[in-house]
Amino acid sequence: MRLLLTLLLVFFLSACRSGAPWMQGMLDGPPQPDGMPRQELPPLYIKGWREGCETGISANTTSMAKFAYSFRQDANLVMNDTYYRGWKDAFDYCQRYTRMYYSRQFP
Amino acid sequence: MRNACILLILVFALSGCGGWNGYHSVSLDMTPPDGPEVYQKGWTDGCKTGVAANTNDFYKLFVRIQQDPVLMKQEIYRRVWQDAYNYCWFHTSTGLTQPL
Protein backbone atom coordinates (compact mmCIF):
# COMPACT_ATOMS: atom_id res chain seq x y z
CA MET A 1 0.00 0.00 0.00
CA ARG A 2 2.83 2.41 0.86
CA LEU A 3 4.55 1.51 -2.39
CA LEU A 4 1.35 2.24 -4.30
CA LEU A 5 0.91 5.62 -2.60
CA THR A 6 4.55 6.49 -3.26
CA LEU A 7 4.18 5.64 -6.92
CA LEU A 8 1.03 7.72 -7.18
CA LEU A 9 2.80 10.65 -5.52
CA VAL A 10 5.69 10.38 -7.98
CA PHE A 11 3.33 10.38 -10.96
CA PHE A 12 1.38 13.40 -9.73
CA LEU A 13 4.49 15.39 -8.84
CA SER A 14 5.98 14.69 -12.26
CA ALA A 15 3.18 16.84 -13.69
CA CYS A 16 4.50 19.86 -11.83
CA ARG A 17 7.06 20.53 -14.54
CA SER A 18 5.68 20.93 -17.98
CA GLY A 19 6.42 18.79 -20.98
CA ALA A 20 9.13 16.37 -21.90
CA PRO A 21 12.54 16.49 -20.15
CA TRP A 22 14.28 18.00 -23.17
CA MET A 23 11.87 20.92 -23.05
CA GLN A 24 13.44 22.15 -19.81
CA GLY A 25 16.40 23.35 -21.90
CA MET A 26 14.06 25.79 -23.64
CA LEU A 27 14.36 28.16 -20.69
CA ASP A 28 18.13 28.55 -21.15
CA GLY A 29 18.02 30.22 -24.52
CA PRO A 30 16.99 29.94 -28.16
CA PRO A 31 17.58 26.62 -29.93
CA GLN A 32 20.97 26.29 -31.57
CA PRO A 33 21.52 24.73 -34.99
CA ASP A 34 23.08 21.27 -34.73
CA GLY A 35 26.86 21.32 -34.86
CA MET A 36 27.11 25.10 -34.59
CA PRO A 37 28.90 26.77 -31.66
CA ARG A 38 26.61 28.28 -29.06
CA GLN A 39 25.72 31.80 -30.07
CA GLU A 40 26.76 34.49 -27.61
CA LEU A 41 23.75 36.55 -26.73
CA PRO A 42 23.48 39.67 -24.57
CA PRO A 43 22.65 38.93 -20.92
CA LEU A 44 19.52 41.08 -21.13
CA TYR A 45 18.31 39.04 -24.10
CA ILE A 46 18.87 35.83 -22.12
CA LYS A 47 17.01 37.28 -19.13
CA GLY A 48 14.14 38.29 -21.39
CA TRP A 49 14.19 34.87 -23.02
CA ARG A 50 14.00 33.02 -19.71
CA GLU A 51 11.08 35.09 -18.43
CA GLY A 52 9.25 35.10 -21.76
CA CYS A 53 9.64 31.36 -22.10
CA GLU A 54 8.28 30.67 -18.64
CA THR A 55 5.35 32.92 -19.44
CA GLY A 56 4.74 31.09 -22.71
CA ILE A 57 4.88 27.69 -21.04
CA SER A 58 2.50 28.90 -18.34
CA ALA A 59 0.01 30.05 -20.97
CA ASN A 60 -0.19 26.69 -22.71
CA THR A 61 0.55 23.97 -20.22
CA THR A 62 -1.82 21.66 -18.38
CA SER A 63 -3.94 22.90 -15.50
CA MET A 64 -1.83 21.08 -12.93
CA ALA A 65 1.46 22.51 -14.20
CA LYS A 66 0.01 26.03 -14.45
CA PHE A 67 0.57 26.33 -10.70
CA ALA A 68 4.31 25.80 -11.25
CA TYR A 69 4.66 28.51 -13.91
CA SER A 70 3.39 32.07 -14.05
CA PHE A 71 3.59 35.32 -15.99
CA ARG A 72 7.08 36.73 -15.60
CA GLN A 73 8.25 40.06 -16.96
CA ASP A 74 10.53 42.73 -15.55
CA ALA A 75 8.46 45.95 -15.69
CA ASN A 76 11.61 48.07 -15.48
CA LEU A 77 13.11 46.39 -18.55
CA VAL A 78 10.07 46.06 -20.79
CA MET A 79 11.07 49.24 -22.65
CA ASN A 80 14.59 47.90 -23.22
CA ASP A 81 14.56 46.61 -26.80
CA THR A 82 17.10 43.83 -26.17
CA TYR A 83 15.23 42.45 -23.17
CA TYR A 84 11.85 42.81 -24.85
CA ARG A 85 13.01 41.15 -28.06
CA GLY A 86 14.21 38.15 -26.04
CA TRP A 87 10.95 38.08 -24.12
CA LYS A 88 8.77 38.19 -27.25
CA ASP A 89 10.88 35.64 -29.14
CA ALA A 90 10.72 33.23 -26.23
CA PHE A 91 7.03 33.74 -25.53
CA ASP A 92 6.14 33.02 -29.14
CA TYR A 93 8.45 30.03 -29.39
CA CYS A 94 7.76 28.38 -26.03
CA GLN A 95 4.01 28.83 -26.00
CA ARG A 96 3.65 27.35 -29.46
CA TYR A 97 6.04 24.50 -28.69
CA THR A 98 4.17 23.68 -25.48
CA ARG A 99 0.81 23.94 -27.17
CA MET A 100 1.83 21.57 -29.94
CA TYR A 101 3.39 19.17 -27.44
CA TYR A 102 0.14 18.81 -25.55
CA SER A 103 -2.02 18.60 -28.64
CA ARG A 104 0.02 15.91 -30.37
CA GLN A 105 -1.84 12.78 -31.34
CA PHE A 106 1.02 10.35 -30.88
CA PRO A 107 3.75 10.28 -28.15
CA MET B 1 -7.44 0.31 3.03
CA ARG B 2 -10.41 2.61 3.70
CA ASN B 3 -8.13 5.52 4.52
CA ALA B 4 -6.11 4.90 1.38
CA CYS B 5 -9.25 4.97 -0.74
CA ILE B 6 -10.40 8.20 0.88
CA LEU B 7 -7.00 9.74 0.25
CA LEU B 8 -7.07 8.67 -3.38
CA ILE B 9 -10.53 10.13 -3.90
CA LEU B 10 -9.39 13.35 -2.24
CA VAL B 11 -6.38 13.62 -4.54
CA PHE B 12 -8.51 13.23 -7.65
CA ALA B 13 -11.12 15.65 -6.33
CA LEU B 14 -8.49 18.29 -5.53
CA SER B 15 -7.01 17.97 -9.00
CA GLY B 16 -10.22 19.62 -10.13
CA CYS B 17 -9.06 22.74 -8.35
CA GLY B 18 -7.54 23.73 -11.69
CA GLY B 19 -11.10 24.83 -12.29
CA TRP B 20 -12.87 28.11 -12.63
CA ASN B 21 -13.43 31.14 -10.47
CA GLY B 22 -16.26 32.95 -12.11
CA TYR B 23 -15.05 33.76 -15.58
CA HIS B 24 -11.41 32.77 -15.33
CA SER B 25 -9.38 29.76 -14.28
CA VAL B 26 -8.26 29.65 -10.62
CA SER B 27 -4.72 28.97 -11.86
CA LEU B 28 -4.70 32.36 -13.60
CA ASP B 29 -3.35 34.93 -11.18
CA MET B 30 -5.02 38.21 -12.16
CA THR B 31 -2.70 40.25 -9.93
CA PRO B 32 -0.45 42.38 -12.16
CA PRO B 33 3.31 42.08 -11.70
CA ASP B 34 5.16 44.74 -9.71
CA GLY B 35 5.88 47.84 -11.71
CA PRO B 36 4.82 51.40 -12.53
CA GLU B 37 1.13 52.21 -12.34
CA VAL B 38 0.76 52.51 -16.11
CA TYR B 39 2.37 49.05 -16.52
CA GLN B 40 0.00 47.47 -14.01
CA LYS B 41 -3.00 49.17 -15.60
CA GLY B 42 -1.95 47.91 -19.02
CA TRP B 43 -1.47 44.39 -17.70
CA THR B 44 -4.85 44.32 -15.96
CA ASP B 45 -6.71 45.75 -18.95
CA GLY B 46 -5.02 43.41 -21.41
CA CYS B 47 -5.53 40.32 -19.30
CA LYS B 48 -9.19 41.02 -18.61
CA THR B 49 -9.71 41.54 -22.33
CA GLY B 50 -7.94 38.29 -23.14
CA VAL B 51 -10.05 36.35 -20.69
CA ALA B 52 -13.22 38.05 -21.90
CA ALA B 53 -12.42 37.01 -25.45
CA ASN B 54 -12.43 33.36 -24.35
CA THR B 55 -15.24 33.18 -21.85
CA ASN B 56 -18.81 32.03 -22.37
CA ASP B 57 -21.71 34.19 -23.52
CA PHE B 58 -23.01 34.69 -19.99
CA TYR B 59 -19.83 36.23 -18.65
CA LYS B 60 -19.35 38.20 -21.83
CA LEU B 61 -22.26 40.29 -20.54
CA PHE B 62 -20.06 41.47 -17.68
CA VAL B 63 -16.56 41.55 -19.09
CA ARG B 64 -15.66 43.50 -22.20
CA ILE B 65 -12.60 44.83 -23.94
CA GLN B 66 -10.75 47.11 -21.59
CA GLN B 67 -8.33 49.54 -23.14
CA ASP B 68 -7.55 53.11 -22.20
CA PRO B 69 -7.35 55.11 -25.45
CA VAL B 70 -5.28 57.84 -23.80
CA LEU B 71 -2.78 55.40 -22.31
CA MET B 72 -2.54 53.49 -25.60
CA LYS B 73 -0.38 56.35 -26.83
CA GLN B 74 2.24 55.27 -24.32
CA GLU B 75 4.47 52.49 -25.61
CA ILE B 76 4.78 50.74 -22.25
CA TYR B 77 1.01 50.49 -21.83
CA ARG B 78 0.63 49.24 -25.40
CA ARG B 79 3.34 46.60 -25.04
CA VAL B 80 2.19 45.17 -21.74
CA TRP B 81 -1.47 45.27 -22.80
CA GLN B 82 -0.65 43.10 -25.80
CA ASP B 83 1.55 40.73 -23.78
CA ALA B 84 -1.05 40.29 -21.05
CA TYR B 85 -3.82 39.86 -23.63
CA ASN B 86 -1.90 37.08 -25.38
CA TYR B 87 -0.93 35.41 -22.11
CA CYS B 88 -4.40 35.43 -20.59
CA TRP B 89 -6.07 34.45 -23.85
CA PHE B 90 -3.89 31.38 -24.26
CA HIS B 91 -4.08 30.58 -20.55
CA THR B 92 -7.86 30.61 -20.67
CA SER B 93 -7.99 28.76 -23.98
CA THR B 94 -5.79 25.96 -22.66
CA GLY B 95 -7.87 25.75 -19.51
CA LEU B 96 -10.94 25.10 -21.63
CA THR B 97 -9.37 22.43 -23.81
CA GLN B 98 -7.00 20.73 -21.38
CA PRO B 99 -8.71 20.36 -18.02
CA LEU B 100 -5.86 18.24 -16.67
Side-chain angles (χ1 to χ4, degrees):
Chain A
M1 186 53 61
R2 277 187 192 170
L3 180 61
L4 179 64
L5 287 174
T6 306
L7 282 172
L8 282 171
L9 198 65
V10 166
F11 283 125
F12 282 123
L13 287 175
S14 67
C16 288
R17 298 303 288 185
S18 178
W22 63 83
M23 288 168 67
Q24 305 314 310
M26 287 196 309
L27 292 163
D28 297 332
Q32 300 289 307
D34 289 339
M36 298 290 287
R38 185 139 193 105
Q39 190 182 0
E40 288 298 323
L41 294 163
L44 275 180
Y45 184 93
I46 296 294
K47 179 175 163 56
W49 178 279
R50 185 174 294 273
E51 293 178 352
C53 192
E54 182 171 333
T55 306
I57 292 173
S58 170
N60 275 286
T61 189
T62 61
S63 293
M64 294 290 284
K66 278 187 199 298
F67 290 101
Y69 296 93
S70 62
F71 183 96
R72 285 187 64 199
Q73 190 177 62
D74 190 327
N76 298 316
L77 290 175
V78 75
M79 293 306 296
N80 181 295
D81 287 341
T82 303
Y83 170 87
Y84 191 66
R85 186 162 45 90
W87 195 96
K88 282 290 284 181
D89 290 349
F91 179 81
D92 291 341
Y93 175 76
C94 296
Q95 66 98 2
R96 282 172 172 79
Y97 195 110
T98 309
R99 193 175 187 91
M100 291 309 297
Y101 177 80
Y102 282 109
S103 63
R104 70 195 191 285
Q105 295 292 323
F106 301 99
Chain B
M1 182 67 183
R2 184 166 152 254
N3 289 341
C5 288
I6 291 171
L7 183 65
L8 207 58
I9 291 167
L10 205 61
V11 165
F12 281 115
L14 285 173
S15 70
C17 284
W20 294 83
N21 173 22
Y23 64 94
H24 68 86
S25 168
V26 293
S27 61
L28 177 59
D29 185 3
M30 298 287 283
T31 308
D34 291 334
E37 203 175 311
V38 65
Y39 177 92
Q40 293 190 325
K41 177 91 169 66
W43 197 95
T44 304
D45 289 348
C47 189
K48 283 186 176 177
T49 307
V51 171
N54 246 316
T55 191
N56 59 38
D57 290 341
F58 175 73
Y59 284 111
K60 275 185 164 68
L61 296 172
F62 308 104
V63 288
R64 302 283 176 89
I65 182 170
Q66 293 193 24
Q67 197 176 73
D68 191 317
V70 174
L71 290 178
M72 276 300 280
K73 293 175 186 169
Q74 292 191 38
E75 180 69 22
I76 186 169
Y77 178 91
R78 201 164 50 243
R79 278 189 182 183
V80 70
W81 190 97
Q82 191 65 52
D83 293 340
Y85 174 86
N86 288 332
Y87 172 71
C88 296
W89 191 95
F90 281 110
H91 194 290
T92 309
S93 169
T94 313
L96 290 168
T97 56
Q98 295 177 19
L100 287 176

mmCIF file of all heavy atoms in Angstrom, chain A residues 8-40:
data_model
loop_
_atom_site.group_PDB
_atom_site.id
_atom_site.type_symbol
_atom_site.label_atom_id
_atom_site.label_comp_id
_atom_site.label_asym_id
_atom_site.label_seq_id
_atom_site.Cartn_x
_atom_site.Cartn_y
_atom_site.Cartn_z
ATOM 1 N N LEU A 8 2.019 6.713 -6.787
ATOM 2 C CA LEU A 8 1.027 7.721 -7.178
ATOM 3 C C LEU A 8 1.552 9.128 -6.957
ATOM 4 O O LEU A 8 1.352 10.012 -7.785
ATOM 5 C CB LEU A 8 -0.271 7.513 -6.389
ATOM 6 C CG LEU A 8 -1.166 6.390 -6.876
ATOM 7 C CD1 LEU A 8 -2.305 6.160 -5.885
ATOM 8 C CD2 LEU A 8 -1.741 6.704 -8.244
ATOM 9 N N LEU A 9 2.234 9.327 -5.839
ATOM 10 C CA LEU A 9 2.796 10.650 -5.524
ATOM 11 C C LEU A 9 3.827 11.050 -6.572
ATOM 12 O O LEU A 9 3.867 12.192 -7.030
ATOM 13 C CB LEU A 9 3.436 10.605 -4.129
ATOM 14 C CG LEU A 9 3.693 11.936 -3.451
ATOM 15 C CD1 LEU A 9 2.371 12.625 -3.170
ATOM 16 C CD2 LEU A 9 4.434 11.722 -2.147
ATOM 17 N N VAL A 10 4.658 10.102 -6.973
ATOM 18 C CA VAL A 10 5.690 10.379 -7.979
ATOM 19 C C VAL A 10 5.042 10.776 -9.296
ATOM 20 O O VAL A 10 5.445 11.738 -9.944
ATOM 21 C CB VAL A 10 6.607 9.151 -8.166
ATOM 22 C CG1 VAL A 10 7.448 9.286 -9.427
ATOM 23 C CG2 VAL A 10 7.502 8.969 -6.954
ATOM 24 N N PHE A 11 4.002 10.072 -9.695
ATOM 25 C CA PHE A 11 3.334 10.379 -10.962
ATOM 26 C C PHE A 11 2.695 11.764 -10.918
ATOM 27 O O PHE A 11 2.771 12.536 -11.868
ATOM 28 C CB PHE A 11 2.274 9.319 -11.303
ATOM 29 C CG PHE A 11 2.851 8.048 -11.837
ATOM 30 C CD1 PHE A 11 2.563 6.831 -11.247
ATOM 31 C CD2 PHE A 11 3.712 8.062 -12.935
ATOM 32 C CE1 PHE A 11 3.117 5.654 -11.746
ATOM 33 C CE2 PHE A 11 4.262 6.895 -13.426
ATOM 34 C CZ PHE A 11 3.962 5.679 -12.827
ATOM 35 N N PHE A 12 2.039 12.092 -9.814
ATOM 36 C CA PHE A 12 1.384 13.402 -9.729
ATOM 37 C C PHE A 12 2.404 14.535 -9.689
ATOM 38 O O PHE A 12 2.221 15.568 -10.309
ATOM 39 C CB PHE A 12 0.463 13.469 -8.501
ATOM 40 C CG PHE A 12 -0.834 12.766 -8.696
ATOM 41 C CD1 PHE A 12 -1.219 11.755 -7.832
ATOM 42 C CD2 PHE A 12 -1.680 13.085 -9.747
ATOM 43 C CE1 PHE A 12 -2.418 11.083 -8.018
ATOM 44 C CE2 PHE A 12 -2.877 12.430 -9.939
ATOM 45 C CZ PHE A 12 -3.251 11.406 -9.067
ATOM 46 N N LEU A 13 3.486 14.334 -8.940
ATOM 47 C CA LEU A 13 4.489 15.389 -8.837
ATOM 48 C C LEU A 13 5.218 15.595 -10.164
ATOM 49 O O LEU A 13 5.709 16.687 -10.449
ATOM 50 C CB LEU A 13 5.497 15.064 -7.725
ATOM 51 C CG LEU A 13 4.968 15.227 -6.308
ATOM 52 C CD1 LEU A 13 5.994 14.759 -5.287
ATOM 53 C CD2 LEU A 13 4.585 16.676 -6.028
ATOM 54 N N SER A 14 5.290 14.557 -10.971
ATOM 55 C CA SER A 14 5.980 14.692 -12.258
ATOM 56 C C SER A 14 5.246 15.657 -13.170
ATOM 57 O O SER A 14 5.823 16.196 -14.105
ATOM 58 C CB SER A 14 6.102 13.324 -12.936
ATOM 59 O OG SER A 14 4.823 12.853 -13.315
ATOM 60 N N ALA A 15 3.948 15.901 -12.867
ATOM 61 C CA ALA A 15 3.179 16.845 -13.690
ATOM 62 C C ALA A 15 3.489 18.289 -13.330
ATOM 63 O O ALA A 15 3.026 19.201 -14.000
ATOM 64 C CB ALA A 15 1.681 16.573 -13.526
ATOM 65 N N CYS A 16 4.239 18.497 -12.244
ATOM 66 C CA CYS A 16 4.500 19.860 -11.826
ATOM 67 C C CYS A 16 5.412 20.599 -12.797
ATOM 68 O O CYS A 16 5.387 21.816 -12.863
ATOM 69 C CB CYS A 16 5.113 19.888 -10.432
ATOM 70 S SG CYS A 16 3.929 19.466 -9.149
ATOM 71 N N ARG A 17 6.262 19.898 -13.515
ATOM 72 C CA ARG A 17 7.064 20.530 -14.544
ATOM 73 C C ARG A 17 6.455 20.154 -15.883
ATOM 74 O O ARG A 17 6.045 19.037 -16.087
ATOM 75 C CB ARG A 17 8.522 20.058 -14.479
ATOM 76 C CG ARG A 17 9.213 20.416 -13.187
ATOM 77 C CD ARG A 17 9.199 21.890 -12.917
ATOM 78 N NE ARG A 17 10.077 22.640 -13.793
ATOM 79 C CZ ARG A 17 10.303 23.946 -13.678
ATOM 80 N NH1 ARG A 17 9.682 24.632 -12.745
ATOM 81 N NH2 ARG A 17 11.107 24.567 -14.489
ATOM 82 N N SER A 18 6.434 21.117 -16.751
ATOM 83 C CA SER A 18 5.684 20.932 -17.976
ATOM 84 C C SER A 18 6.485 20.232 -19.053
ATOM 85 O O SER A 18 7.653 20.538 -19.255
ATOM 86 C CB SER A 18 5.228 22.296 -18.470
ATOM 87 O OG SER A 18 4.534 22.170 -19.674
ATOM 88 N N GLY A 19 5.862 19.321 -19.743
ATOM 89 C CA GLY A 19 6.416 18.792 -20.981
ATOM 90 C C GLY A 19 7.480 17.746 -20.789
ATOM 91 O O GLY A 19 7.741 17.263 -19.696
ATOM 92 N N ALA A 20 8.096 17.391 -21.894
ATOM 93 C CA ALA A 20 9.133 16.370 -21.901
ATOM 94 C C ALA A 20 10.412 16.909 -21.260
ATOM 95 O O ALA A 20 10.613 18.119 -21.176
ATOM 96 C CB ALA A 20 9.409 15.955 -23.344
ATOM 97 N N PRO A 21 11.308 16.019 -20.817
ATOM 98 C CA PRO A 21 12.545 16.489 -20.146
ATOM 99 C C PRO A 21 13.373 17.421 -21.012
ATOM 100 O O PRO A 21 13.958 18.377 -20.513
ATOM 101 C CB PRO A 21 13.286 15.176 -19.855
ATOM 102 C CG PRO A 21 12.223 14.149 -19.766
ATOM 103 C CD PRO A 21 11.164 14.554 -20.745
ATOM 104 N N TRP A 22 13.431 17.148 -22.331
ATOM 105 C CA TRP A 22 14.279 17.997 -23.168
ATOM 106 C C TRP A 22 13.731 19.416 -23.285
ATOM 107 O O TRP A 22 14.430 20.325 -23.672
ATOM 108 C CB TRP A 22 14.433 17.373 -24.554
ATOM 109 C CG TRP A 22 13.149 17.260 -25.312
ATOM 110 C CD1 TRP A 22 12.544 18.230 -26.058
ATOM 111 C CD2 TRP A 22 12.293 16.116 -25.394
ATOM 112 N NE1 TRP A 22 11.367 17.753 -26.597
ATOM 113 C CE2 TRP A 22 11.182 16.460 -26.206
ATOM 114 C CE3 TRP A 22 12.355 14.830 -24.870
ATOM 115 C CZ2 TRP A 22 10.155 15.564 -26.502
ATOM 116 C CZ3 TRP A 22 11.334 13.942 -25.158
ATOM 117 C CH2 TRP A 22 10.250 14.317 -25.970
ATOM 118 N N MET A 23 12.442 19.595 -22.955
ATOM 119 C CA MET A 23 11.865 20.922 -23.053
ATOM 120 C C MET A 23 12.385 21.850 -21.959
ATOM 121 O O MET A 23 12.239 23.059 -22.055
ATOM 122 C CB MET A 23 10.342 20.847 -22.990
ATOM 123 C CG MET A 23 9.739 20.271 -24.255
ATOM 124 S SD MET A 23 8.006 19.855 -24.102
ATOM 125 C CE MET A 23 7.279 21.459 -23.921
ATOM 126 N N GLN A 24 12.955 21.284 -20.887
ATOM 127 C CA GLN A 24 13.440 22.149 -19.814
ATOM 128 C C GLN A 24 14.587 23.014 -20.306
ATOM 129 O O GLN A 24 14.848 24.084 -19.774
ATOM 130 C CB GLN A 24 13.869 21.303 -18.613
ATOM 131 C CG GLN A 24 12.794 20.359 -18.091
ATOM 132 C CD GLN A 24 11.426 21.027 -17.938
ATOM 133 O OE1 GLN A 24 11.308 22.078 -17.344
ATOM 134 N NE2 GLN A 24 10.392 20.428 -18.509
ATOM 135 N N GLY A 25 15.304 22.568 -21.330
ATOM 136 C CA GLY A 25 16.397 23.349 -21.900
ATOM 137 C C GLY A 25 15.919 24.575 -22.634
ATOM 138 O O GLY A 25 16.709 25.477 -22.924
ATOM 139 N N MET A 26 14.611 24.643 -22.923
ATOM 140 C CA MET A 26 14.064 25.788 -23.645
ATOM 141 C C MET A 26 14.273 27.072 -22.860
ATOM 142 O O MET A 26 14.399 28.139 -23.443
ATOM 143 C CB MET A 26 12.560 25.606 -23.889
ATOM 144 C CG MET A 26 12.234 24.585 -24.934
ATOM 145 S SD MET A 26 10.528 24.709 -25.533
ATOM 146 C CE MET A 26 9.586 24.731 -24.054
ATOM 147 N N LEU A 27 14.259 26.968 -21.534
ATOM 148 C CA LEU A 27 14.360 28.160 -20.687
ATOM 149 C C LEU A 27 15.750 28.792 -20.744
ATOM 150 O O LEU A 27 15.923 29.948 -20.373
ATOM 151 C CB LEU A 27 14.017 27.809 -19.240
ATOM 152 C CG LEU A 27 12.553 27.441 -18.990
ATOM 153 C CD1 LEU A 27 12.404 26.716 -17.665
ATOM 154 C CD2 LEU A 27 11.689 28.669 -18.994
ATOM 155 N N ASP A 28 16.755 28.039 -21.185
ATOM 156 C CA ASP A 28 18.129 28.546 -21.152
ATOM 157 C C ASP A 28 18.436 29.500 -22.290
ATOM 158 O O ASP A 28 19.339 30.331 -22.183
ATOM 159 C CB ASP A 28 19.111 27.372 -21.187
ATOM 160 C CG ASP A 28 18.970 26.491 -19.968
ATOM 161 O OD1 ASP A 28 18.567 27.018 -18.910
ATOM 162 O OD2 ASP A 28 19.238 25.283 -20.063
ATOM 163 N N GLY A 29 17.741 29.343 -23.387
ATOM 164 C CA GLY A 29 18.018 30.220 -24.521
ATOM 165 C C GLY A 29 17.443 29.664 -25.792
ATOM 166 O O GLY A 29 16.907 28.562 -25.818
ATOM 167 N N PRO A 30 17.562 30.406 -26.899
ATOM 168 C CA PRO A 30 16.990 29.937 -28.158
ATOM 169 C C PRO A 30 17.682 28.673 -28.649
ATOM 170 O O PRO A 30 18.849 28.442 -28.320
ATOM 171 C CB PRO A 30 17.230 31.105 -29.119
ATOM 172 C CG PRO A 30 18.258 31.950 -28.486
ATOM 173 C CD PRO A 30 18.190 31.721 -27.027
ATOM 174 N N PRO A 31 16.976 27.847 -29.425
ATOM 175 C CA PRO A 31 17.583 26.616 -29.926
ATOM 176 C C PRO A 31 18.750 26.925 -30.858
ATOM 177 O O PRO A 31 18.713 27.882 -31.614
ATOM 178 C CB PRO A 31 16.431 25.926 -30.664
ATOM 179 C CG PRO A 31 15.457 27.009 -30.972
ATOM 180 C CD PRO A 31 15.594 28.030 -29.902
ATOM 181 N N GLN A 32 19.773 26.088 -30.761
ATOM 182 C CA GLN A 32 20.966 26.293 -31.569
ATOM 183 C C GLN A 32 20.966 25.293 -32.716
ATOM 184 O O GLN A 32 20.580 24.143 -32.529
ATOM 185 C CB GLN A 32 22.226 26.082 -30.732
ATOM 186 C CG GLN A 32 22.319 27.033 -29.544
ATOM 187 C CD GLN A 32 22.609 28.450 -29.961
ATOM 188 O OE1 GLN A 32 23.549 28.726 -30.681
ATOM 189 N NE2 GLN A 32 21.783 29.378 -29.517
ATOM 190 N N PRO A 33 21.405 25.693 -33.891
ATOM 191 C CA PRO A 33 21.518 24.728 -34.989
ATOM 192 C C PRO A 33 22.503 23.626 -34.635
ATOM 193 O O PRO A 33 23.517 23.874 -33.964
ATOM 194 C CB PRO A 33 22.046 25.575 -36.154
ATOM 195 C CG PRO A 33 21.772 26.996 -35.784
ATOM 196 C CD PRO A 33 21.794 27.062 -34.289
ATOM 197 N N ASP A 34 22.215 22.404 -35.052
ATOM 198 C CA ASP A 34 23.084 21.272 -34.729
ATOM 199 C C ASP A 34 24.487 21.500 -35.270
ATOM 200 O O ASP A 34 24.674 21.910 -36.413
ATOM 201 C CB ASP A 34 22.500 19.983 -35.320
ATOM 202 C CG ASP A 34 21.243 19.560 -34.583
ATOM 203 O OD1 ASP A 34 21.069 19.992 -33.431
ATOM 204 O OD2 ASP A 34 20.445 18.807 -35.160
ATOM 205 N N GLY A 35 25.474 21.235 -34.426
ATOM 206 C CA GLY A 35 26.862 21.318 -34.861
ATOM 207 C C GLY A 35 27.439 22.720 -34.850
ATOM 208 O O GLY A 35 28.637 22.893 -35.067
ATOM 209 N N MET A 36 26.614 23.709 -34.589
ATOM 210 C CA MET A 36 27.106 25.099 -34.588
ATOM 211 C C MET A 36 27.500 25.484 -33.159
ATOM 212 O O MET A 36 26.875 25.043 -32.199
ATOM 213 C CB MET A 36 26.013 26.051 -35.084
ATOM 214 C CG MET A 36 25.584 25.780 -36.509
ATOM 215 S SD MET A 36 26.837 26.217 -37.705
ATOM 216 C CE MET A 36 26.751 27.995 -37.654
ATOM 217 N N PRO A 37 28.532 26.321 -33.010
ATOM 218 C CA PRO A 37 28.897 26.772 -31.662
ATOM 219 C C PRO A 37 27.769 27.615 -31.076
ATOM 220 O O PRO A 37 27.018 28.261 -31.810
ATOM 221 C CB PRO A 37 30.158 27.613 -31.893
ATOM 222 C CG PRO A 37 30.121 27.986 -33.341
ATOM 223 C CD PRO A 37 29.385 26.917 -34.050
ATOM 224 N N ARG A 38 27.681 27.540 -29.726
ATOM 225 C CA ARG A 38 26.608 28.276 -29.056
ATOM 226 C C ARG A 38 26.764 29.772 -29.294
ATOM 227 O O ARG A 38 27.824 30.344 -29.077
ATOM 228 C CB ARG A 38 26.637 27.995 -27.550
ATOM 229 C CG ARG A 38 25.476 28.650 -26.830
ATOM 230 C CD ARG A 38 24.873 27.748 -25.772
ATOM 231 N NE ARG A 38 23.606 28.302 -25.344
ATOM 232 C CZ ARG A 38 22.433 27.800 -25.706
ATOM 233 N NH1 ARG A 38 22.360 26.729 -26.454
ATOM 234 N NH2 ARG A 38 21.304 28.354 -25.309
ATOM 235 N N GLN A 39 25.704 30.374 -29.756
ATOM 236 C CA GLN A 39 25.724 31.798 -30.065
ATOM 237 C C GLN A 39 25.795 32.617 -28.786
ATOM 238 O O GLN A 39 25.089 32.322 -27.841
ATOM 239 C CB GLN A 39 24.438 32.118 -30.822
ATOM 240 C CG GLN A 39 24.380 33.495 -31.430
ATOM 241 C CD GLN A 39 23.039 33.732 -32.108
ATOM 242 O OE1 GLN A 39 22.170 32.867 -32.105
ATOM 243 N NE2 GLN A 39 22.861 34.887 -32.689
ATOM 244 N N GLU A 40 26.674 33.605 -28.770
ATOM 245 C CA GLU A 40 26.762 34.487 -27.612
ATOM 246 C C GLU A 40 25.682 35.554 -27.723
ATOM 247 O O GLU A 40 25.629 36.301 -28.698
ATOM 248 C CB GLU A 40 28.150 35.163 -27.570
ATOM 249 C CG GLU A 40 29.294 34.230 -27.188
ATOM 250 C CD GLU A 40 29.134 33.653 -25.796
ATOM 251 O OE1 GLU A 40 28.656 34.366 -24.895
ATOM 252 O OE2 GLU A 40 29.465 32.464 -25.610
#
